[in-house]
DNA sequence: AATGAATGAGCCTTCATTCAT
DNA sequence: AATGAATGAAGGCTCATTCAT
């Protein structure tokens, strides 16, 4: 539709600078994220976002039709971030080290904002079906990728073969969210909680200790 | 502080009808919960709550000084609900069955609202330190109780002895929140996710199958 | 519904002062009229009205749910004003003098605002069916009353008997609106236009000159 | 002034493509009319007009300095449309048939939009003196033309000679506006109202039935 | 000449809260 | 204790308009 519009009008007038547009869009999204992390979706006003993003209020509405659209766009973007964790696991020499690396990455201090936002998103998916859908799609993608890694580990004999990789992946994702969601309230230090989770995964997945040879 | 206020305005020391007051308070809290479950904290207005609770707006302010106070009060109340789950585990004949019962209770359809609210609370605790504190205290209480149950299971030889019960309890709580938080977005059916979690706990806790003999 | 609400709650708390409410409502309507006369419906903002009525913006919304409701309420009120003209005709000793009196009343300087508003209302009825309905009802009422007067005049032999009184009444109403709508643009002085209209009505209705005897 | 502006920015004296400019201007005016008919002047936004006219918002401002100017321009254009009615009267074989033809033309279904706009214009002329002036001029022109026709009718003996043609013309115009303004609210069918008006004009103007002989 | 991009001011409405009864 | 009445501030969004291209 957007392309049609361009090709229709035989291109009179000022041409659209798509790069600049994308940059602006990102600028707004970044401001929005900053606000949403601090205050959540519904306590962040468009005015606040406009200030944080250093953009006029009206300008935001040239990039996002409504505040809800802005939220959805951010949720969509957020989904992509999760892929990094998968890569960490993937790139490790074995599954066990991969999970360990993932754990310490997720627990890293800079993740606090990320998790704050993630929680906001999960809470929102309980009421906003559009958001739920986006999250669903994103999570499915992540789970699929992780499942592939798990399957490989199974093939290499690093992991029990009687477990369904996709289901394990989903479980892993839930486990991460669960632990991180307790960040500000847990009495146990969060990294020890993560360690405990790793222990559980060890036995659950039947992970083998990487021997000297491998 | 609240007592001071009362004694200022009334005959000093005169006992108010505390029962009626408590009932009203509860009525308001119930209305608030209904709203918060549907819309979250910040998208629920006092007017909406007053309607849901069938109480005038102004009346709410005679029981809660600000909206934030109302939120905190609700969070406090919510903490107590979690104790039911512990009781389920406690009352089972063995830990394994207890966990199973807890799982199927948490996954029960009527829990959806509860989890919606729980997520809202967790998200809020990222920003509101007062809320965080209340949750912390509540979770600690729950964890302590669960730890006691676990310790008993250890004593009965149903569970590995080299695990720290309190840490296990915290981990269990996080695990529950993690799985339930995926309720509206999980591609895997939530009960299968729970089943997977039980499997993990089985191996992790070293739970023994309750044979006829043992 | 409003009555139900009152009778339901066994009247706790502050009782509703209906008189004060009606006064406030009128105060708002008066402010609204002043604005609408000056700027029309859609160029008058609620803020302007609140200022003109010396009332806070939010307070207006305790008396009218939306701006459109306020408009409709004003249109409804306006319908009642037209009845005065009918009374003038009715109270005259004969139809001819009555019409003359009506004409000079309508042309009176203080009518300018009234007609300005009337035009706004007519314009609005082209788009807003609710407004159209209210106007229809109001105009019908006026026409019915005027028709009765005309019928009496027919009975007294002051007016042609072969004319349908109701249709004449509607025609008269249209005629008035037509002439008054030209108030700010007519090159002919408005009272001479009115005189011309009276002449036309004279011949059309077959009005008899009031003889010395009657 | 407009010419000055052009000559500033372009080669002095260079003739712009006036035809194209006029076409664009008309395109905008047509879009504006469509909007104004639907929503009125003040509820129609430049954005809406630009969409309706299939023109960019900014482009509108190269043809009309402000929205008010656009309104005035449209009012000016609208004045010309009324001339068609005069022609109908003029071209009829006698005044009576001419008026009948005019009536049925005005009542025609496609006139609804026209009257909607006319009302908007009349309402606006109560507040905007510039608009009032334009309407005045336009109406005067129409009245003058109609007066000429009436004078001819008087000369032909079809109409009373003691009536001032110009005043009759103004009266006729008001009558038309009055009846049409009741289009959406009249309980009487509008064509019967028009018939009644014709009857009145018959007696008022002393129109003779066109017999075979005369 | 025409379009894209941008904005301050303003729109209607609702907010959390207070005061009077 | 409980309700009705009131309000300043803020909410999301759109406005008419300007500037850059």
């Amino acid at each position: 539709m957007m392309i049609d519009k361009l090709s229709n009008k035989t291109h009179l007038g000022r041409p659209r600078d798509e790069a600049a547009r994308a940059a602006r869009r990102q600028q707004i999204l970044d401001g929005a994220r900053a606000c949403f992390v601090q205050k959540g979706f519904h306590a962040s006003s468009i005015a606040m976002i406009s200030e944080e993003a250093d953009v006029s209020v009206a300008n935001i509405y040239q990039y996002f039709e409504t505040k809800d659209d802005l939220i959805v766009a951010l949720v969509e973007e957020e989904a992509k971030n999760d892929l990094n964790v998968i890569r960490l696991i993937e790139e490790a020499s074995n599954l066990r080290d991969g999970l360990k690396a993932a754990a310490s990455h997720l627990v890293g201090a800079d993740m606090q904002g990320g998790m704050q936002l993630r929680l906001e998103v999960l809470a929102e998916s309980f009421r906003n079906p559009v958001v739920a859908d986006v999250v669903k799609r994103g999570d499915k993608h992540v789970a699929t990728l992780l499942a592939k890694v798990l399957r490989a580990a199974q093939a290499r004999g690093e992991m029990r073969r009687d477990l369904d990789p996709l289901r394990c992946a989903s479980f892993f994702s839930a486990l991460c969210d669960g632990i991180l969601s307790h960040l500000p309230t847990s009495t146990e230090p969060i990294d020890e909680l993560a360690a405990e989770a790793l222990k559980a995964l060890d036995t659950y997945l039947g992970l083998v200790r990487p021997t000297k040879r491998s």
Side-chain angles (χ1 to χ4, degrees), chain A residues 92-142:
Chain A
S93 61
N94 60 66
L95 184 54
R96 199 159 189 281
D97 288 351
L99 293 180
K100 216 184 259 179
S104 60
H105 172 253
L106 285 173
V107 167
D110 57 332
M111 278 288 101
Q112 168 120 10
M115 190 53 203
Q116 159 70 30
L117 195 48
R118 170 74 177 169
L119 260 188
E120 201 68 30
V121 168
L122 289 176
E124 191 66 15
S125 3
F126 270 81
R127 9 187 151 94
N128 189 333
V130 180
V131 168
D133 239 49
V134 174
V135 174
K136 207 169 189 167
R137 242 194 318 271
D139 280 12
K140 189 177 191 173
H141 187 205
V142 171

Short mmCIF file of all heavy atoms in Angstrom, two decimals, chain A residues 92-142:
data_model
loop_
_atom_site.label_atom_id
_atom_site.label_comp_id
_atom_site.label_asym_id
_atom_site.label_seq_id
_atom_site.Cartn_x
_atom_site.Cartn_y
_atom_site.Cartn_z
N ALA A 92 28.39 -21.30 21.76
CA ALA A 92 29.24 -21.97 22.76
C ALA A 92 29.68 -23.33 22.23
O ALA A 92 29.05 -23.90 21.34
CB ALA A 92 28.48 -22.11 24.07
N SER A 93 30.74 -23.84 22.80
CA SER A 93 31.27 -25.11 22.29
C SER A 93 30.38 -26.28 22.68
O SER A 93 30.40 -27.32 22.04
CB SER A 93 32.69 -25.33 22.81
OG SER A 93 32.68 -25.38 24.22
N ASN A 94 29.62 -26.14 23.75
CA ASN A 94 28.67 -27.19 24.10
C ASN A 94 27.46 -26.57 24.79
O ASN A 94 27.48 -25.42 25.22
CB ASN A 94 29.32 -28.23 25.00
CG ASN A 94 29.82 -27.61 26.30
OD1 ASN A 94 29.02 -27.15 27.10
ND2 ASN A 94 31.14 -27.58 26.48
N LEU A 95 26.40 -27.32 24.89
CA LEU A 95 25.14 -26.77 25.39
C LEU A 95 25.27 -26.24 26.81
O LEU A 95 24.76 -25.18 27.14
CB LEU A 95 24.07 -27.88 25.36
CG LEU A 95 22.67 -27.44 25.77
CD1 LEU A 95 22.21 -26.25 24.96
CD2 LEU A 95 21.69 -28.60 25.63
N ARG A 96 25.99 -26.99 27.62
CA ARG A 96 26.10 -26.60 29.01
C ARG A 96 26.75 -25.21 29.15
O ARG A 96 26.23 -24.34 29.85
CB ARG A 96 26.94 -27.63 29.75
CG ARG A 96 26.75 -27.58 31.23
CD ARG A 96 27.14 -28.87 31.91
NE ARG A 96 26.75 -28.82 33.29
CZ ARG A 96 27.44 -28.16 34.22
NH1 ARG A 96 28.54 -27.53 33.90
NH2 ARG A 96 27.00 -28.13 35.47
N ASP A 97 27.86 -25.02 28.48
CA ASP A 97 28.50 -23.71 28.54
C ASP A 97 27.61 -22.63 27.93
O ASP A 97 27.58 -21.48 28.39
CB ASP A 97 29.84 -23.77 27.80
CG ASP A 97 30.87 -24.57 28.57
OD1 ASP A 97 30.58 -24.91 29.75
OD2 ASP A 97 31.94 -24.87 28.01
N GLY A 98 26.91 -23.03 26.90
CA GLY A 98 26.00 -22.07 26.27
C GLY A 98 24.96 -21.57 27.24
O GLY A 98 24.73 -20.36 27.38
N LEU A 99 24.35 -22.49 27.95
CA LEU A 99 23.33 -22.08 28.91
C LEU A 99 23.93 -21.20 30.00
O LEU A 99 23.34 -20.21 30.43
CB LEU A 99 22.67 -23.33 29.52
CG LEU A 99 21.84 -24.16 28.55
CD1 LEU A 99 21.23 -25.38 29.25
CD2 LEU A 99 20.75 -23.33 27.91
N LYS A 100 25.12 -21.58 30.42
CA LYS A 100 25.79 -20.78 31.44
C LYS A 100 26.02 -19.36 30.94
O LYS A 100 25.76 -18.38 31.65
CB LYS A 100 27.13 -21.44 31.79
CG LYS A 100 27.50 -21.31 33.26
CD LYS A 100 28.86 -21.90 33.54
CE LYS A 100 28.78 -23.30 34.16
NZ LYS A 100 30.11 -23.88 34.42
N ALA A 101 26.50 -19.27 29.73
CA ALA A 101 26.75 -17.94 29.15
C ALA A 101 25.45 -17.15 29.05
O ALA A 101 25.40 -15.95 29.38
CB ALA A 101 27.39 -18.09 27.78
N ALA A 102 24.41 -17.84 28.60
CA ALA A 102 23.12 -17.16 28.49
C ALA A 102 22.67 -16.64 29.85
O ALA A 102 22.22 -15.50 29.99
CB ALA A 102 22.08 -18.13 27.93
N ALA A 103 22.82 -17.49 30.86
CA ALA A 103 22.41 -17.10 32.20
C ALA A 103 23.14 -15.84 32.64
O ALA A 103 22.52 -14.86 33.09
CB ALA A 103 22.67 -18.23 33.18
N SER A 104 24.46 -15.86 32.50
CA SER A 104 25.19 -14.70 33.02
C SER A 104 24.91 -13.45 32.18
O SER A 104 24.97 -12.34 32.69
CB SER A 104 26.69 -14.99 33.10
OG SER A 104 27.18 -15.30 31.83
N HIS A 105 24.58 -13.67 30.93
CA HIS A 105 24.22 -12.51 30.12
C HIS A 105 22.89 -11.91 30.56
O HIS A 105 22.73 -10.71 30.72
CB HIS A 105 24.13 -12.91 28.63
CG HIS A 105 23.60 -11.83 27.77
ND1 HIS A 105 22.34 -11.88 27.21
CD2 HIS A 105 24.15 -10.65 27.37
CE1 HIS A 105 22.14 -10.78 26.50
NE2 HIS A 105 23.21 -10.03 26.58
N LEU A 106 21.93 -12.80 30.79
CA LEU A 106 20.60 -12.32 31.18
C LEU A 106 20.64 -11.63 32.53
O LEU A 106 19.92 -10.66 32.78
CB LEU A 106 19.62 -13.50 31.24
CG LEU A 106 19.17 -14.02 29.88
CD1 LEU A 106 18.35 -15.28 30.04
CD2 LEU A 106 18.35 -12.96 29.16
N VAL A 107 21.49 -12.13 33.41
CA VAL A 107 21.56 -11.57 34.75
C VAL A 107 22.32 -10.25 34.77
O VAL A 107 22.19 -9.47 35.71
CB VAL A 107 22.20 -12.61 35.69
CG1 VAL A 107 22.58 -11.99 37.01
CG2 VAL A 107 21.23 -13.76 35.92
N GLY A 108 23.06 -10.02 33.71
CA GLY A 108 23.87 -8.80 33.64
C GLY A 108 23.07 -7.56 33.97
O GLY A 108 21.88 -7.46 33.67
N ALA A 109 23.74 -6.61 34.58
CA ALA A 109 23.06 -5.43 35.13
C ALA A 109 22.25 -4.70 34.07
O ALA A 109 21.15 -4.21 34.33
CB ALA A 109 24.09 -4.49 35.75
N ASP A 110 22.75 -4.60 32.87
CA ASP A 110 22.07 -3.82 31.85
C ASP A 110 20.77 -4.48 31.40
O ASP A 110 20.05 -3.94 30.59
CB ASP A 110 22.99 -3.62 30.65
CG ASP A 110 23.47 -4.94 30.10
OD1 ASP A 110 23.55 -5.90 30.89
OD2 ASP A 110 23.75 -5.02 28.89
N MET A 111 20.51 -5.65 31.90
CA MET A 111 19.30 -6.34 31.50
C MET A 111 18.09 -5.88 32.30
O MET A 111 16.96 -6.18 31.96
CB MET A 111 19.48 -7.85 31.69
CG MET A 111 20.21 -8.54 30.58
SD MET A 111 19.23 -8.68 29.07
CE MET A 111 19.89 -7.35 28.07
N GLN A 112 18.36 -5.17 33.37
CA GLN A 112 17.25 -4.77 34.23
C GLN A 112 16.16 -4.07 33.44
O GLN A 112 14.97 -4.42 33.53
CB GLN A 112 17.76 -3.84 35.34
CG GLN A 112 16.65 -3.15 36.11
CD GLN A 112 16.69 -3.51 37.58
OE1 GLN A 112 17.62 -4.11 38.07
NE2 GLN A 112 15.66 -3.12 38.29
N GLY A 113 16.57 -3.07 32.66
CA GLY A 113 15.60 -2.36 31.85
C GLY A 113 14.88 -3.30 30.92
O GLY A 113 13.66 -3.24 30.75
N GLY A 114 15.65 -4.17 30.29
CA GLY A 114 15.05 -5.12 29.36
C GLY A 114 13.97 -5.95 30.02
O GLY A 114 12.90 -6.14 29.46
N MET A 115 14.24 -6.42 31.22
CA MET A 115 13.26 -7.28 31.87
C MET A 115 12.05 -6.48 32.32
O MET A 115 10.92 -6.95 32.24
CB MET A 115 13.88 -8.00 33.07
CG MET A 115 12.97 -9.07 33.60
SD MET A 115 12.44 -10.23 32.29
CE MET A 115 10.92 -10.89 32.97
N GLN A 116 12.33 -5.28 32.81
CA GLN A 116 11.22 -4.40 33.18
C GLN A 116 10.24 -4.30 32.01
O GLN A 116 9.03 -4.43 32.16
CB GLN A 116 11.77 -3.02 33.54
CG GLN A 116 10.79 -1.89 33.47
CD GLN A 116 9.78 -2.01 34.57
OE1 GLN A 116 10.08 -2.52 35.63
NE2 GLN A 116 8.57 -1.56 34.32
N LEU A 117 10.82 -4.07 30.85
CA LEU A 117 9.98 -3.92 29.66
C LEU A 117 9.30 -5.24 29.32
O LEU A 117 8.11 -5.29 28.98
CB LEU A 117 10.84 -3.44 28.50
CG LEU A 117 10.09 -2.90 27.31
CD1 LEU A 117 9.04 -1.90 27.73
CD2 LEU A 117 11.05 -2.26 26.34
N ARG A 118 10.05 -6.30 29.42
CA ARG A 118 9.49 -7.62 29.10
C ARG A 118 8.27 -7.92 29.97
O ARG A 118 7.25 -8.41 29.49
CB ARG A 118 10.58 -8.68 29.31
CG ARG A 118 10.11 -10.12 29.26
CD ARG A 118 9.82 -10.58 27.85
NE ARG A 118 9.44 -11.99 27.81
CZ ARG A 118 8.94 -12.61 26.76
NH1 ARG A 118 8.77 -11.97 25.63
NH2 ARG A 118 8.63 -13.89 26.81
N LEU A 119 8.38 -7.58 31.23
CA LEU A 119 7.25 -7.81 32.13
C LEU A 119 6.05 -6.98 31.72
O LEU A 119 4.91 -7.45 31.69
CB LEU A 119 7.64 -7.44 33.56
CG LEU A 119 8.01 -8.59 34.47
CD1 LEU A 119 8.17 -8.11 35.89
CD2 LEU A 119 6.93 -9.66 34.42
N GLU A 120 6.33 -5.74 31.40
CA GLU A 120 5.27 -4.86 30.93
C GLU A 120 4.59 -5.48 29.72
O GLU A 120 3.36 -5.49 29.60
CB GLU A 120 5.90 -3.51 30.55
CG GLU A 120 4.93 -2.37 30.51
CD GLU A 120 4.39 -2.00 31.87
OE1 GLU A 120 5.12 -2.19 32.86
OE2 GLU A 120 3.24 -1.57 31.94
N VAL A 121 5.39 -6.02 28.85
CA VAL A 121 4.85 -6.62 27.63
C VAL A 121 3.99 -7.84 27.97
O VAL A 121 2.89 -8.00 27.46
CB VAL A 121 6.00 -7.03 26.68
CG1 VAL A 121 5.48 -7.90 25.56
CG2 VAL A 121 6.69 -5.80 26.13
N LEU A 122 4.51 -8.68 28.85
CA LEU A 122 3.75 -9.88 29.22
C LEU A 122 2.43 -9.49 29.88
O LEU A 122 1.38 -10.07 29.58
CB LEU A 122 4.58 -10.76 30.16
CG LEU A 122 5.75 -11.48 29.49
CD1 LEU A 122 6.56 -12.26 30.51
CD2 LEU A 122 5.26 -12.41 28.39
N ALA A 123 2.50 -8.50 30.76
CA ALA A 123 1.26 -8.05 31.41
C ALA A 123 0.29 -7.53 30.37
O ALA A 123 -0.91 -7.82 30.41
CB ALA A 123 1.57 -6.96 32.43
N GLU A 124 0.82 -6.80 29.42
CA GLU A 124 -0.05 -6.24 28.38
C GLU A 124 -0.67 -7.34 27.53
O GLU A 124 -1.81 -7.22 27.08
CB GLU A 124 0.75 -5.27 27.50
CG GLU A 124 -0.09 -4.43 26.56
CD GLU A 124 -1.01 -3.45 27.29
OE1 GLU A 124 -0.79 -3.22 28.48
OE2 GLU A 124 -1.95 -2.95 26.66
N SER A 125 0.06 -8.41 27.32
CA SER A 125 -0.51 -9.45 26.46
C SER A 125 -1.71 -10.12 27.09
O SER A 125 -2.46 -10.80 26.40
CB SER A 125 0.51 -10.52 26.07
OG SER A 125 1.73 -10.35 26.65
N PHE A 126 -1.87 -9.93 28.39
CA PHE A 126 -3.06 -10.49 29.01
C PHE A 126 -4.31 -9.75 28.59
O PHE A 126 -5.41 -10.29 28.62
CB PHE A 126 -2.93 -10.45 30.54
CG PHE A 126 -2.30 -11.67 31.13
CD1 PHE A 126 -0.92 -11.81 31.12
CD2 PHE A 126 -3.06 -12.67 31.68
CE1 PHE A 126 -0.32 -12.94 31.68
CE2 PHE A 126 -2.47 -13.79 32.24
CZ PHE A 126 -1.10 -13.93 32.23
N ARG A 127 -4.16 -8.50 28.21
CA ARG A 127 -5.35 -7.73 27.86
C ARG A 127 -5.42 -7.35 26.40
O ARG A 127 -6.50 -7.27 25.82
CB ARG A 127 -5.42 -6.45 28.68
CG ARG A 127 -4.21 -6.11 29.49
CD ARG A 127 -4.47 -4.92 30.36
NE ARG A 127 -3.67 -4.97 31.55
CZ ARG A 127 -2.48 -4.39 31.68
NH1 ARG A 127 -1.98 -3.68 30.69
NH2 ARG A 127 -1.80 -4.51 32.80
N ASN A 128 -4.28 -7.09 25.81
CA ASN A 128 -4.27 -6.63 24.43
C ASN A 128 -3.94 -7.80 23.50
O ASN A 128 -2.79 -8.23 23.41
CB ASN A 128 -3.22 -5.53 24.30
CG ASN A 128 -3.27 -4.85 22.96
OD1 ASN A 128 -3.70 -5.45 21.97
ND2 ASN A 128 -2.84 -3.61 22.92
N PRO A 129 -4.92 -8.28 22.78
CA PRO A 129 -4.69 -9.47 21.94
C PRO A 129 -3.69 -9.21 20.82
O PRO A 129 -2.99 -10.13 20.40
CB PRO A 129 -6.07 -9.78 21.37
CG PRO A 129 -6.96 -8.69 21.78
CD PRO A 129 -6.27 -7.78 22.73
N VAL A 130 -3.63 -7.98 20.37
CA VAL A 130 -2.66 -7.67 19.32
C VAL A 130 -1.24 -7.85 19.86
O VAL A 130 -0.38 -8.47 19.23
CB VAL A 130 -2.85 -6.23 18.80
CG1 VAL A 130 -1.84 -5.92 17.73
CG2 VAL A 130 -4.26 -6.04 18.27
N VAL A 131 -1.02 -7.30 21.03
CA VAL A 131 0.28 -7.46 21.66
C VAL A 131 0.55 -8.95 21.91
O VAL A 131 1.65 -9.44 21.64
CB VAL A 131 0.33 -6.68 23.00
CG1 VAL A 131 1.56 -7.08 23.79
CG2 VAL A 131 0.33 -5.19 22.73
N ALA A 132 -0.46 -9.64 22.38
CA ALA A 132 -0.29 -11.07 22.65
C ALA A 132 0.17 -11.78 21.39
O ALA A 132 1.08 -12.62 21.43
CB ALA A 132 -1.60 -11.67 23.15
N ASP A 133 -0.43 -11.42 20.29
CA ASP A 133 -0.06 -12.06 19.03
C ASP A 133 1.39 -11.81 18.65
O ASP A 133 2.11 -12.73 18.25
CB ASP A 133 -0.98 -11.54 17.92
CG ASP A 133 -1.74 -12.67 17.28
OD1 ASP A 133 -2.32 -13.47 18.03
OD2 ASP A 133 -1.72 -12.76 16.04
N VAL A 134 1.78 -10.56 18.79
CA VAL A 134 3.15 -10.22 18.43
C VAL A 134 4.13 -11.00 19.31
O VAL A 134 5.13 -11.55 18.84
CB VAL A 134 3.38 -8.71 18.57
CG1 VAL A 134 4.84 -8.37 18.35
CG2 VAL A 134 2.50 -7.95 17.59
N VAL A 135 3.82 -11.02 20.60
CA VAL A 135 4.70 -11.74 21.52
C VAL A 135 4.74 -13.22 21.16
O VAL A 135 5.80 -13.85 21.14
CB VAL A 135 4.22 -11.55 22.97
CG1 VAL A 135 5.04 -12.42 23.91
CG2 VAL A 135 4.32 -10.09 23.36
N LYS A 136 3.58 -13.74 20.88
CA LYS A 136 3.47 -15.15 20.53
C LYS A 136 4.38 -15.46 19.35
O LYS A 136 5.19 -16.40 19.39
CB LYS A 136 2.01 -15.46 20.15
CG LYS A 136 1.58 -16.89 20.39
CD LYS A 136 0.06 -16.98 20.23
CE LYS A 136 -0.48 -18.34 20.66
NZ LYS A 136 -1.95 -18.31 20.78
N ARG A 137 4.25 -14.67 18.33
CA ARG A 137 5.07 -14.89 17.15
C ARG A 137 6.56 -14.79 17.49
O ARG A 137 7.37 -15.63 17.10
CB ARG A 137 4.72 -13.86 16.07
CG ARG A 137 4.19 -14.50 14.80
CD ARG A 137 4.16 -13.53 13.65
NE ARG A 137 3.68 -12.20 14.04
CZ ARG A 137 2.41 -11.82 14.03
NH1 ARG A 137 1.48 -12.67 13.65
NH2 ARG A 137 2.06 -10.61 14.40
N GLY A 138 6.90 -13.73 18.23
CA GLY A 138 8.30 -13.55 18.59
C GLY A 138 8.83 -14.72 19.41
O GLY A 138 9.89 -15.28 19.12
N ASP A 139 8.06 -15.10 20.42
CA ASP A 139 8.50 -16.18 21.29
C ASP A 139 8.61 -17.49 20.52
O ASP A 139 9.52 -18.29 20.76
CB ASP A 139 7.51 -16.35 22.46
CG ASP A 139 7.77 -15.30 23.55
OD1 ASP A 139 8.52 -14.35 23.26
OD2 ASP A 139 7.23 -15.45 24.66
N LYS A 140 7.69 -17.67 19.61
CA LYS A 140 7.72 -18.90 18.82
C LYS A 140 9.01 -18.97 18.01
O LYS A 140 9.67 -20.01 17.93
CB LYS A 140 6.52 -18.93 17.87
CG LYS A 140 6.34 -20.26 17.17
CD LYS A 140 5.09 -20.23 16.31
CE LYS A 140 4.73 -21.62 15.81
NZ LYS A 140 3.42 -21.60 15.11
N HIS A 141 9.36 -17.84 17.44
CA HIS A 141 10.58 -17.78 16.66
C HIS A 141 11.79 -18.15 17.51
O HIS A 141 12.63 -18.96 17.14
CB HIS A 141 10.74 -16.38 16.07
CG HIS A 141 11.87 -16.27 15.11
ND1 HIS A 141 12.51 -15.08 14.84
CD2 HIS A 141 12.48 -17.20 14.34
CE1 HIS A 141 13.46 -15.29 13.96
NE2 HIS A 141 13.47 -16.56 13.62
N VAL A 142 11.85 -17.50 18.65
CA VAL A 142 12.96 -17.79 19.56
C VAL A 142 12.99 -19.27 19.93
O VAL A 142 14.04 -19.93 19.89
CB VAL A 142 12.84 -16.92 20.83
CG1 VAL A 142 13.85 -17.37 21.88
CG2 VAL A 142 13.05 -15.46 20.50
#
